[in-house]
């Protein structure tokens, strides 16, 4: 079964450093997302991406965050200058938004980011 | 206020018991999804319910969408330790998913 893959699975970084989290969405999907989950809290939407541009972003997704689809397969989340409160599990997700799939969004296994 | 309220937040039961968890809202939705998440992993879709009053079964799991499409329930029959996890309901809003805070289920052998 096709799946969303994410790397790295776990990254520890110092406060102030830049981090890039990578994702390979499901190949025929056109809609891509990043979510995050702080330990013990609910899954929160960060950003959605379609047709090479951001279609929606949340209040969490401030100027420190950016997303990019550098080639036909990868979708990346960059945090420019990490803060302690950025420590969380970051999930990439993708969808084809078709009626037949019921707009099912498929999640990767997550990248656990620890900022120290 | 939360768009989706899930209850209970925590549930600890013995293997073999039945349980029901709920997802409630004051808003009407065109569809609602249930996910299961295990520690350190991403949410995995269990089911999507679309029609008011719809009932879907997935082995020992029964999902129901309220007639008014504002609420949903998940019933597990004869729970097993492998059912342990975080159960999340979610709705789609402009394409993105909004999650409830989840019900943490622990099934003890």
């Amino acid at each position: 079964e096709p799946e969303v893959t994410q790397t790295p699975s776990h990254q520890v970084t110092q406060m102030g450093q830049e981090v890039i989290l990578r994702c390979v969405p499901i190949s025929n999907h056109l809609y891509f997302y990043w979510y995050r989950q702080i330990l013990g809290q609910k899954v929160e939407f960060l950003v959605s991406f379609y047709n090479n541009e951001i279609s929606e972003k949340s209040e969490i997704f401030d100027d420190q965050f950016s997303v990019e689809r550098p080639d036909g397969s990868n979708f990346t989340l960059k945090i420019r200058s990490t803060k302690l409160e950025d420590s969380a599990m970051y999930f990439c997700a993708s969808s084809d938004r078709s009626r037949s799939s019921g707009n099912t969004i498929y999640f990767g296994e997550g990248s656990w980011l620890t900022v120290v | 206020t939360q768009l989706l309220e899930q209850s209970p937040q925590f549930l600890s039961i013995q293997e073999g018991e039945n349980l029901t968890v709920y997802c409630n809202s004051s808003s009407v939705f065109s569809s609602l999804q249930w996910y299961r998440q295990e520690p350190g992993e991403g949410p995995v879709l269990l089911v999507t319910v679309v029609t008011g009053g719809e009932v879907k079964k997935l082995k020992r799991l029964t999902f129901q969408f309220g007639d008014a499409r504002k609420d949903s329930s998940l019933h597990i029959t004869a729970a097993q330790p492998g059912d342990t996890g975080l159960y999340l309901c979610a709705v789609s809003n402009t394409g993105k998913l909004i999650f409830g805070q989840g019900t943490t289920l622990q099934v003890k052998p």
Side-chain angles (χ1 to χ4, degrees):
Chain A
E1 187 174 320
E3 58 182 16
V4 176
T5 57
Q6 291 185 239
T7 55
S9 56
H10 189 191
Q11 182 162 352
V12 181
T13 189
Q14 289 207 322
M15 192 168 54
Q17 294 295 304
E18 176 183 283
V19 161
I20 296 176
L21 305 178
R22 292 182 167 81
C23 170
V24 179
I26 294 173
S27 61
N28 63 334
H29 286 183
L30 300 176
Y31 300 84
F32 314 118
Y33 311 86
W34 283 100
Y35 290 78
R36 80 169 185 191
Q37 186 176 30
I38 295 171
L39 188 64
Q41 298 186 22
K42 67 177 185 177
V43 179
E44 300 173 291
F45 168 77
L46 292 179
V47 66
S48 57
F49 191 87
Y50 170 70
N51 199 26
N52 282 321
E53 60 183 26
I54 290 173
S55 44
E56 189 172 355
K57 59 183 180 180
S58 70
E59 292 174 353
I60 304 166
F61 195 89
D62 61 23
D63 291 344
Q64 293 299 312
F65 291 87
S66 62
V67 289
E68 195 177 33
R69 188 155 163 80
D71 54 46
S73 60
N74 291 288
F75 180 51
T76 62
L77 173 69
K78 182 192 290 186
I79 309 174
R80 260 181 273 283
S81 177
T82 50
K83 304 186 285 287
L84 294 176
E85 53 265 39
D86 293 328
S87 295
M89 181 77 97
Y90 288 82
F91 294 108
C92 175
S94 70
S95 166
D96 64 2
R97 286 233 198 141
S98 69
R99 282 191 172 272
S100 61
S101 74
N103 190 27
T104 299
I105 296 179
Y106 295 86
F107 286 81
E109 293 202 336
S111 293
W112 181 247
L113 176 65
T114 303
V115 182
V116 296
Chain B
T1 54
Q2 303 278 349
L3 180 65
L4 296 172
E5 293 280 353
Q6 289 192 245
S7 61
Q9 270 194 288
F10 302 99
L11 190 56
S12 181
I13 60 171
Q14 291 296 134
E15 182 176 0
E17 292 183 11
N18 302 331
L19 66 118
T20 303
V21 299
Y22 301 92
C23 177
N24 295 303
S25 178
S26 56
S27 301
V28 177
F29 303 110
S30 57
S31 66
L32 185 145
Q33 300 179 342
W34 283 94
Y35 286 82
R36 179 164 167 261
Q37 185 183 18
E38 296 193 49
E41 297 186 13
V44 176
L45 179 68
L46 295 174
V47 78
T48 301
V49 285
V50 177
T51 308
E54 181 178 6
V55 176
K56 279 191 173 177
K57 293 198 174 198
L58 190 65
K59 297 182 182 177
R60 293 176 294 100
L61 277 60
T62 302
F63 305 84
Q64 184 160 10
F65 201 15
D67 291 341
R69 290 185 285 125
K70 292 183 179 182
D71 53 80
S72 182
S73 63
L74 158 58
H75 181 80
I76 301 179
T77 304
Q80 298 176 0
D83 295 327
T84 293
L86 177 66
Y87 289 83
L88 300 160
C89 64
V91 293
S92 181
N93 183 339
T94 65
K96 69 179 186 289
L97 282 178
I98 298 174
F99 286 89
Q101 78 274 33
T103 293
T104 300
L105 172 65
Q106 180 189 43
V107 183
K108 294 179 279 192

